[in-house]
Amino acid sequence: MNKRQFLKAGLLAGVASQLPLLSNAATVNTPVAKKKVKKNWIWINPNLKDADEDLKVNYAAYKAKGITGIFFENDSERHFRAAKAAGIEAHRWIWTFNRAELLTTHPEWYSKNRNGDSCADKPPYVTYYRWLCPSRPEVQDYLTSTVDKILSLDYVDGIHLDYVRYCDVVLPVNLWDKYKIEQTRELPEYDYCYCEVCRAKFKEQYGQDVKAIQYPDASLSWRLFRYGNIIRVVNSISAIAKQHKKAITAAVFPTPEVARRNVRQDWTNFHLDGVCPMIYHGFYKEGVSWIGDAVAEGVHFLDGKFPLYAGLYISDFKNDEEVRAGIQYALKNGAAGISFFGRVTPSILDILHEETKG
């Protein structure tokens, strides 16, 4: 769990190709069968030292192998425009609630755990975990303003939200040994947010102080309150994207059930143009076939609201053939494409192209 330096990936758009059906009856108008084109994404942190000619060659190569969109971790007009010139959509990837730039100016905006500790001065797990409280109108305004400025740039095709959730109240099981924690129950030091604004808004909505609830970790209304907090902010950001007529997507936890339980994230109710569940099977000590199970659950609960692009973490796979199997499990269970996290090799791009070209 470092600063996502292990992440790369890819993403975007929606187009359907039409294949005419042949008919012996020339006078009959035969329906056309639509075949959905897969969308595939990668994450890139643009190197500002890259030469223009290298950008042209690199993005053309990505396009030739089936990459249709890129999430850029930082702003670089040259990279964005080079990707667009190659026919790839260029989206800006941002950290949403996990942000450290306001620590000195607005420390009161940061979330507090059940013990009353603020992650402004006592971050959980790792030092960069600095979570803003979604209950605060100032936080929502700050995030919508940030997105508005990004999407005002003509070379940016869309926004991609990451860390769009609360802090992990439960880590993926494979990380328990790393952090010397057993999270078979919800521990108060990782349970957010119990700040005065959250308590006041919860009491206004449900008529009780969450601090007076004997088992707040078991309170269904308290869970719903926090799901709603994230949904409200995401959908306010989505409204900004729609004003700019640009796409909005998000990286989310692997399944609706895991997302709600581990990070209070109810992503099936987000207003998005696509979602990239981070189906890191190794993090959950699952086999490659679990990728298909996770995709099937997400597709089921989305019920056609927007496409799901299966997020695969390259380091979780032992070899290229496992990557191929992961892609196949995802596509067979309804994924609209693949988004890669990690170092994508030429051989993996070849496999992606083979499996998604239609």
Side-chain angles (χ1 to χ4, degrees):
M1 289 197 40
N2 57 26
K3 279 195 175 183
R4 285 190 180 271
Q5 293 169 349
F6 63 87
L7 293 185
K8 281 190 178 180
L11 156 195
L12 186 36
V15 181
S17 61
Q18 294 183 334
L19 301 178
L21 297 177
L22 299 179
S23 172
N24 292 327
T27 58
V28 177
N29 291 326
T30 307
V32 291
K34 294 182 178 180
K35 185 174 183 179
K36 293 182 178 179
V37 176
K38 301 301 181 187
K39 311 301 174 189
N40 303 306
W41 314 87
I42 57 173
W43 268 253
I44 287 179
N45 190 1
N47 185 345
L48 303 183
K49 297 180 180 179
D50 287 341
D52 289 344
E53 187 58 33
D54 290 336
L55 297 184
K56 183 177 180 180
V57 171
N58 291 342
Y59 290 127
Y62 280 132
K63 178 65 175 180
K65 293 301 182 181
I67 298 300
T68 56
I70 294 176
F71 301 128
F72 286 99
E73 183 174 357
N74 288 305
D75 187 20
S76 170
E77 183 173 353
R78 287 195 310 117
H79 277 263
F80 278 63
R81 292 199 185 281
K84 289 164 66 69
I88 298 173
E89 296 208 27
H91 292 236
R92 179 64 190 279
W93 165 33
I94 68 166
W95 291 27
T96 310
F97 290 105
N98 184 16
R99 307 178 73 95
E101 71 268 24
L102 300 167
L103 286 172
T104 57
T105 56
H106 291 289
E108 74 279 7
W109 288 8
Y110 287 84
S111 291
K112 293 182 179 180
N113 63 24
R114 205 190 316 165
N115 289 335
D117 297 320
S118 172
C119 59
D121 50 39
K122 193 174 181 180
Y125 305 116
V126 286
T127 56
Y128 71 87
Y129 254 30
R130 311 284 185 160
W131 296 88
L132 295 172
C133 172
S135 285
R136 294 177 178 269
E138 310 96 311
V139 168
Q140 179 172 315
D141 292 345
Y142 179 78
L143 294 174
T144 54
S145 175
T146 299
V147 169
D148 185 51
K149 291 175 183 176
I150 293 171
L151 294 181
S152 294
L153 301 170
D154 70 308
Y155 54 86
V156 175
D157 291 321
I159 197 80
H160 182 67
L161 308 178
D162 203 351
Y163 294 102
V164 59
R165 56 183 178 86
Y166 283 90
C167 173
D168 318 60
V169 66
V170 178
L171 289 172
V173 66
N174 201 39
L175 297 176
W176 293 6
D177 288 341
K178 176 181 176 62
Y179 292 99
K180 310 303 180 187
I181 304 170
E182 288 188 10
Q183 293 181 319
T184 53
R185 62 185 180 89
E186 295 184 6
L187 302 174
E189 58 266 43
Y190 307 111
D191 185 16
Y192 291 83
C193 172
Y194 290 75
C195 75
E196 59 276 13
V197 175
C198 284
R199 290 174 60 186
K201 287 184 176 291
F202 178 73
K203 188 172 183 178
E204 179 182 354
Q205 186 172 343
Y206 288 97
Q208 54 184 333
D209 186 345
V210 68
K211 286 287 190 177
I213 298 176
Q214 183 178 7
Y215 301 109
D217 50 322
S219 171
L220 301 182
S221 56
W222 180 228
R223 284 177 181 251
L224 284 173
F225 173 79
R226 288 178 288 178
Y227 300 160
N229 270 347
I230 301 296
I231 292 169
R232 172 178 41 77
V233 178
V234 170
N235 291 349
S236 71
I237 295 173
S238 177
I240 297 297
K242 299 311 174 190
Q243 289 175 15
H244 287 276
K245 297 182 179 179
K246 294 184 177 181
I248 179 170
T249 56
V252 297
F253 267 48
T255 72
E257 187 272 332
V258 172
R260 288 190 294 267
R261 171 169 49 88
N262 285 25
V263 294
R264 316 309 190 204
Q265 181 189 66
D266 184 12
W267 52 261
T268 61
N269 284 305
F270 291 174
H271 295 166
L272 300 173
D273 295 299
V275 70
C276 300
M278 298 177 289
I279 308 175
Y280 302 170
H281 60 285
F283 277 38
Y284 300 90
K285 295 191 176 183
E286 297 288 347
V288 176
S289 64
W290 182 72
I291 293 169
D293 298 334
V295 168
E297 182 183 330
V299 169
H300 171 75
F301 284 104
L302 281 174
D303 194 26
K305 290 179 182 177
F306 46 79
L308 181 154
Y309 307 103
L312 307 185
Y313 180 35
I314 301 301
S315 295
D316 274 350
F317 297 92
K318 296 176 182 177
N319 51 53
D320 284 1
E321 286 312 303
E322 278 202 355
V323 175
R324 184 187 300 277
I327 293 171
Q328 291 174 346
Y329 281 121
L331 298 179
K332 287 178 181 178
N333 283 278
I338 303 299
S339 57
F340 281 126
F341 301 80
R343 182 175 177 272
V344 182
T345 64
S347 62
I348 289 175
L349 285 174
D350 287 339
I351 292 170
L352 177 72
H353 186 237
E354 293 167 8
E355 297 296 333
T356 63
K357 64 183 179 182

